[in-house]
Amino acid sequence: MKTQAQAVIIGGGLIGCSILYHLTKLGWTDVVLLERNELTSGSTWHAAAGIHGLHDHNNISRLQYYTMQLYEELERETGQGCGIFQPGSLYLAQTRDREHQLRMQAAKAKYFQVEFHELSRDEAERLHPLADFDGIRCIMYEPDGGNVDPSGVTHAYAKGARQRGAEIHRFTPVTATVQRADGSWDVETEQGTIHAGAVVNAAGLWAREVAAMAGFELPLMPLEHQYLVTETIPEIEALGRRLPLIADRDGEYYMRQEGLGLLVGAYEKDGRYWSEDGTPMDFGHELLDQDLERIEENLLRAFDRVPVLANAGVKRVINGPMIWSPDASALLGPVPELRNYYCCCGIIPGFSQSGGLGLTLAQWIVEGEPERDLFPWDLARFGAWANRAFTRARTLDQYSHRFKIHFPYEERTAGRPVNTRPVYEKQRELGAVFGLSYGYEHPLWYAPDGVEPVESYGFERQHWFESVAAECHALRESVGIIDVSNFAKYRIRGDGAHDYLERLVANRVPTATGRSCLTPMLGLRGGIAGDFTITRLDDEDYLMIGSGIAERYHQRYFDSVARADGVVFESMTEAWAGFNVAGPNARALLGELTEADLSNEGFGFMQSRRIAIAGIDAVALRLSFSGDLGWEVYVPVERQAELYAALLGTGKAYAARPVGSRALLSLRVEKGYGSWSREYSPEYWPQEVGLDRLIKRDKPEFLGREAWLAIKDRPPREKLVIVRVETDNADANGGEPVFLTDGRPVGRVSSGAFGHSAGASIALCFIRTQHAVPGTELDIAILGLPHRAVILDKPPFDAGGKRLRA
Ligand SMILES: Cc1cc2nc3c(=O)[nH]c(=O)nc-3n(C[C@H](O)[C@H](O)[C@H](O)COP(=O)(O)OP(=O)(O)OC[C@H]3O[C@@H](n4cnc5c(N)ncnc54)[C@H](O)[C@@H]3O)c2cc1C
């Protein structure tokens, strides 16, 4: 075994082998994979290994398509069979909502230019003559759906990697990972130590134990999962061809052909944790005790669908553990608190995603940043708040609702509340309905008297639409109080603070006390890694405000720029709470609570002051994400309740209302404001989202500068536009494909909402540049059906910014 390598991957399951393969493909050939046992010794060997392409998230779909195509290439390249069967998949809808979901998938398929189309019942019966389609409203067909051989695929990745120089050592458990002062790692085994530039935790079922070796925790929990395989079914034998898979998600099972029988698996409501306190190191190619009773109801529904199943003998039952994250998506990427340590863990549909995950992580390691925005896979979406109790509750909830439809605005309740702020009870009294915002309960909307403060979900507008409308009107017509405590807040101070920020962000950092600037922070490919407001509070004392969900994500960028010894970088997100007081009467309301001069002359737009409000020392910034006259007011969290009481009390005379985040979405969309992870991500160039105007070309140094110089004069590939949509019962939400009126795909929605001041449904969309022209008519697939839209030349609310500057 060598003693030195560019990277060491821990774990020789499907995912570790894919990462190894992709590293070698990107040119890192001095790489080693260490496996405790044989390859495939975790979840991989007993998987049902079904594959599919479409996913609710567009970039994950892209990577699932990449994975499905890769398997054939892998076979050709390595000569190792991957056991690929692609007889197609039949997706069945039993409910109206499922039909909407499938129609949306079909519209997205058109955008991705892949096959996923509706079949008549006759056509479906010809493809699957053993299925009974009674009660099915709509059938979609994905011709590339199928399954692969778990061992074949894993070994093909391994072989491809070895052919390019990678080493794989089986029966070599990693016993410790120790970081050296220069950021490299010693990876210890009983057979020796490898000194590695980078370490990858791809230890699947043992990812928690391997993380613990490096001193951190991953929010993961294993659960049992069962499927059965039948004996030969004579009707299948007689057919002489392979049956398509059945994805009857309302029935909560999956089914495909295995040999001349069928394989049926289910995610039961009554799921079972496995090895909660840690995966035993000696767990190998073992199966867990079968318990078919637990999945009996699901199986009975499968028997109704394919009646020959009921008479088939059971050849084997597989009950194996798989390890889940709180939202059932991968925990991918560099661990922000460590140097050169990467994870790719918690993978559920591993066979649909292995190629995409391997490619993305390899890009991250070799090129410093992945090509696509994959925040839904980024492990940084969870902070320390995703504790054991939360993880436990969420993973079971995910397991038992595996095939549930994810409606727009979905907020799951399992494991909550985790954290609350002091005004939580008061907000509840006011009718707040809460969502989870990076570990905290945060008001989404407020139910007025007579409306039950409960969420409902659907693809169409829900009962809270009217409450949100009332909040928007209250703010636009008088004044609203928005809790903005969930924004990320950083204080950067000490000798060198200004210099550090100048080298971090692309705009010029204010040099005058009391001034604020908006600025993008660029990623390593020149895209938008973040957007911030930076305020100079004092000499060498700055407040930076950014996206709350991205706090851990942004930490990677913040830490990648050197700070002088005297600079203290401190997150104030927990210590400070804030409200945005916004609307035409914001000045009058705040004016009653402070002696400070709030006039335009005394406190202009994009300025800040330390002022006392209701006797509380506060930092006030004159800006508002609502697009209206407003101030963001931040105070120590202990004084949040006091400030809130003062604002609400004095606000009564102005009919001030608390305003939730759903209303804020509507307000910012009709104002055309972008938001991080929707309109702003490292995937988009500044000139595509209109932030290039904030980049100071003459600054000699800032993060991402070189990459930006290389792309800055290139024409935008797509442009962010604002559109008005003709719709009366559902608004675009994000991710919907956009077509020209002749059906050609030209883009996708990034955010959407009904604009209550605009009196119209509004969406922000990325549209191919040549079509991103005001007046162009488009069709947006809402509920999977085309809805006419037109590109506007300016935002429908206060395009000139008069309200902000009033
Ligand atoms: C019953 C069942 C059915 C499934 N069906 C499907 C399906 O139809 N489609 C689908 O896409 N997915 C399916 N899956 C999920 C799929 O199996 C996983 O997504 C995939 O196998 C995850 O692979 P992995 O490489 O991340 O983890 P694992 O397969 O768990 O691999 C981790 C590897 O790390 C090694 N390791 C651990 N600790 C160390 C150490 N200290 N040193 C060295 N090596 C170590 C282990 O020995 C193991 O080989 C199913 C899973 C189960 C249980």
Side-chain angles (χ1 to χ4, degrees):
M1 194 165 80
K2 59 169 74 170
T3 55
Q4 190 82 26
Q6 284 171 293
V8 169
I9 293 159
I10 306 171
L14 168 72
I15 301 301
C17 290
S18 170
I19 297 165
L20 189 75
Y21 170 82
H22 282 93
L23 279 175
T24 62
K25 258 192 139 172
L26 292 188
W28 276 32
T29 53
D30 181 17
V31 285
V32 179
L33 183 146
L34 300 176
E35 165 54 45
R36 184 186 63 100
N37 199 295
E38 285 285 3
L39 296 182
T40 77
S41 292
S43 287
T44 300
W45 72 273
H46 48 55
I51 54 172
H52 55 270
L54 278 173
H55 189 278
D56 286 340
H57 189 271
N58 286 343
N59 275 350
I60 296 181
S61 291
R62 281 195 175 92
L63 291 170
Q64 294 194 165
Y65 284 117
Y66 164 75
T67 305
M68 285 166 85
Q69 283 153 11
L70 182 66
Y71 291 140
E72 279 184 12
E73 193 186 314
L74 256 184
E75 276 192 345
R76 278 195 301 275
E77 184 188 331
T78 64
Q80 164 69 52
C82 291
I84 309 167
F85 292 103
Q86 286 178 296
S89 299
L90 295 173
Y91 288 80
L92 313 184
Q94 296 188 33
T95 64
R96 188 158 170 266
D97 282 334
R98 185 71 66 181
E99 183 177 344
H100 283 159
Q101 187 202 32
L102 292 185
R103 292 202 184 286
M104 176 54 84
Q105 300 279 42
K108 286 190 175 182
K110 221 173 133 193
Y111 166 65
F112 284 114
Q113 301 186 316
V114 296
E115 278 297 325
F116 186 93
H117 57 262
E118 187 166 5
L119 291 185
S120 68
R121 180 167 173 165
D122 278 357
E123 288 169 314
E125 281 172 351
R126 274 198 292 281
L127 279 172
H128 203 311
L130 306 182
D132 175 352
F133 295 101
D134 270 3
I136 299 299
R137 304 168 59 105
C138 157
I139 306 168
M140 292 283 176
Y141 182 52
E142 183 183 43
D144 287 338
N147 68 285
V148 291
D149 165 33
S151 166
V153 167
T154 309
H155 282 95
Y157 279 132
K159 193 167 174 191
R162 277 199 192 100
Q163 282 172 352
R164 290 197 192 84
E167 276 187 15
I168 296 179
H169 297 280
R170 296 171 304 137
F171 302 102
T172 311
V174 171
T175 51
T177 50
V178 182
Q179 186 151 40
R180 293 192 184 181
D182 66 357
S184 60
W185 289 86
D186 284 323
V187 182
E188 297 176 9
T189 75
E190 282 180 8
Q191 286 88 325
T193 295
I194 305 180
H195 176 223
V199 175
V200 179
N201 176 350
L205 286 175
W206 295 263
R208 293 172 299 170
E209 287 69 28
V210 169
M213 290 177 196
F216 70 102
E217 284 182 32
L218 284 170
L220 288 170
M221 185 62 71
L223 284 128
E224 298 184 10
H225 178 56
Q226 299 185 88
Y227 65 81
L228 63 79
V229 178
T230 71
E231 304 281 2
T232 292
I233 295 176
E235 290 84 347
I236 296 183
E237 193 170 21
L239 212 59
R241 66 169 168 83
R242 206 162 168 100
L243 287 168
L245 285 76
I246 289 189
D248 182 2
R249 290 179 170 172
D250 298 314
E252 299 189 303
Y253 62 86
Y254 54 86
M255 185 192 302
R256 69 166 175 82
Q257 187 171 331
E258 174 74 8
L260 292 173
L262 287 171
L263 177 157
V264 189
Y267 293 93
E268 67 277 22
K269 287 275 172 282
D270 181 23
R272 289 284 187 280
Y273 299 111
W274 177 78
S275 268
E276 282 185 55
D277 296 326
T279 304
M281 218 8 128
D282 58 357
F283 184 77
H285 281 239
E286 296 146 55
L287 288 173
L288 312 177
D289 291 342
Q290 64 182 65
D291 180 5
L292 284 184
E293 255 179 47
R294 273 200 340 254
I295 59 169
E296 190 179 346
E297 280 181 25
N298 313 55
L299 291 178
L300 289 175
R301 288 192 287 269
F303 292 178
D304 287 345
R305 187 66 58 216
V306 178
V308 295
L309 253 178
N311 301 322
V314 173
K315 187 155 100 185
R316 61 176 190 276
V317 177
I318 302 284
N319 184 8
M322 59 212 290
I323 192 157
W324 294 66
S325 76
D327 59 5
S329 285
L331 297 179
L332 180 75
V335 176
E337 297 75 21
L338 296 174
R339 282 163 72 197
N340 305 318
Y341 193 105
Y342 300 80
C343 288
C344 189
C345 314
I347 320 300
I348 301 307
F351 291 88
S352 302
Q353 300 184 343
S354 66
L357 287 162
L359 173 68
T360 305
L361 195 66
Q363 287 176 343
W364 223 327
I365 296 170
V366 175
E367 296 165 8
E369 204 176 79
E371 190 186 352
R372 300 242 168 240
D373 169 31
L374 282 160
F375 190 65
W377 274 354
D378 191 327
L379 58 85
R381 70 190 181 281
F382 295 109
W385 56 268
N387 56 27
R388 170 102 186 249
F390 174 81
T391 303
R392 200 173 176 278
R394 278 284 160 129
T395 49
L396 184 61
D397 183 59
Q398 288 291 342
Y399 181 91
S400 53
H401 296 105
R402 177 69 183 144
F403 294 139
K404 189 173 175 277
I405 297 173
H406 298 291
F407 291 112
Y409 306 107
E410 181 186 74
E411 290 282 349
R412 292 188 168 189
T413 53
R416 287 174 44 206
V418 182
N419 292 321
T420 58
R421 293 192 173 87
V423 296
Y424 174 67
E425 284 305 331
K426 180 67 192 168
Q427 288 172 329
R428 268 166 72 107
E429 259 174 51
L430 292 168
V433 174
F434 294 88
L436 181 69
S437 178
Y438 203 64
Y440 278 91
E441 293 298 305
H442 192 75
L444 302 170
W445 57 279
Y446 292 83
D449 286 347
V451 174
E452 228 194 314
V454 287
E455 278 280 75
S456 65
Y457 301 111
F459 291 110
E460 290 161 320
R461 288 178 193 150
Q462 299 296 301
H463 77 291
W464 43 264
F465 181 84
E466 294 304 334
S467 305
V468 169
E471 291 169 33
C472 292
H473 287 305
L475 185 146
R476 290 279 191 241
E477 285 153 27
S478 182
V479 56
I481 301 165
I482 311 168
D483 187 345
V484 290
S485 308
N486 61 334
F487 290 0
K489 303 170 280 288
Y490 313 96
R491 189 143 176 216
I492 302 103
R493 59 200 154 121
D495 265 359
H498 179 266
D499 172 64
Y500 165 72
L501 287 171
E502 279 287 8
R503 286 183 292 106
L504 179 69
V505 299
N507 200 349
R508 189 139 6 255
V509 176
T511 47
T513 296
R515 292 277 168 187
S516 301
C517 78
L518 297 175
T519 178
M521 175 178 75
L522 302 188
L524 305 187
R525 295 176 190 267
I528 307 289
D531 62 307
F532 301 94
T533 308
I534 298 183
T535 300
R536 184 170 137 138
L537 298 175
D538 214 330
D539 187 21
E540 296 286 33
D541 187 355
Y542 288 87
L543 172 65
M544 179 160 73
I545 295 178
S547 169
I549 54 167
E551 178 148 358
R552 200 166 166 230
Y553 169 91
H554 281 145
Q555 193 186 326
R556 295 190 188 113
Y557 291 94
F558 300 155
D559 292 346
S560 72
V561 174
R563 289 191 280 268
D565 287 345
V567 178
V568 179
F569 189 108
E570 196 178 0
S571 169
M572 306 305 289
T573 308
E574 306 225 329
W576 287 5
F579 295 99
N580 182 199
V581 182
N585 281 326
R587 178 177 285 123
L589 193 170
L590 282 175
E592 290 199 31
L593 293 169
T594 182
E595 307 271 290
D597 177 4
L598 300 182
S599 70
N600 252 341
E601 298 68 40
F603 203 145
F605 180 57
M606 292 298 287
Q607 295 194 2
S608 83
R609 302 275 180 274
R610 288 175 187 276
I611 60 176
I613 298 181
I616 307 165
D617 287 338
V619 173
L621 315 179
R622 181 156 168 210
L623 39 93
S624 173
F625 202 36
S626 68
D628 230 302
L629 170 70
W631 280 262
E632 281 176 13
V633 179
Y634 293 100
V635 296
V637 71
E638 313 80 72
R639 310 212 58 184
Q640 184 197 26
E642 215 181 313
L643 175 64
Y644 199 40
L647 291 173
L648 290 170
T650 308
K652 273 196 189 124
Y654 300 92
R657 288 184 66 142
V659 169
S661 61
R662 296 250 164 94
L664 186 57
L665 167 72
S666 156
L667 298 163
R668 70 119 179 135
V669 164
E670 66 181 3
K671 174 69 183 157
Y673 281 163
S675 171
W676 193 82
S677 97
R678 294 294 191 123
E679 287 73 32
Y680 305 143
S681 95
E683 194 176 324
Y684 307 134
W685 296 345
Q687 61 267 44
E688 293 171 339
V689 294
L691 292 188
D692 47 338
R693 67 197 160 82
L694 298 177
I695 300 175
K696 290 289 171 275
R697 293 169 181 245
D698 54 342
K699 269 185 36 166
E701 192 187 339
F702 57 85
L703 190 65
R705 185 173 182 273
E706 297 310 312
W708 175 69
L709 288 177
I711 57 164
K712 76 176 174 40
D713 295 323
R714 288 170 58 184
R717 300 156 299 182
E718 295 178 317
K719 283 196 109 169
L720 183 62
V721 300
I722 186 161
V723 306
R724 190 179 58 236
V725 194
E726 287 172 27
T727 167
D728 54 11
N729 61 342
D731 303 294
N733 171 255
E736 292 87 351
V738 181
F739 303 91
L740 292 177
T741 52
D742 64 8
R744 277 180 291 157
V746 284
R748 66 200 175 282
V749 174
S750 51
S751 296
F754 191 82
H756 293 281
S757 307
S761 190
I762 306 294
L764 301 176
C765 310
F766 283 95
I767 300 292
R768 279 189 203 136
T769 304
Q770 71 267 35
H771 301 292
V773 180
T776 303
E777 295 214 318
L778 303 165
D779 279 330
I780 298 186
I782 297 174
L783 303 170
L785 301 171
H787 284 65
R788 195 48 57 93
V790 62
I791 301 181
L792 304 177
D793 58 353
K794 54 182 191 306
F797 180 76
D798 190 30
K802 283 199 188 118
R803 297 273 291 238
L804 276 172
R805 292 175 176 77

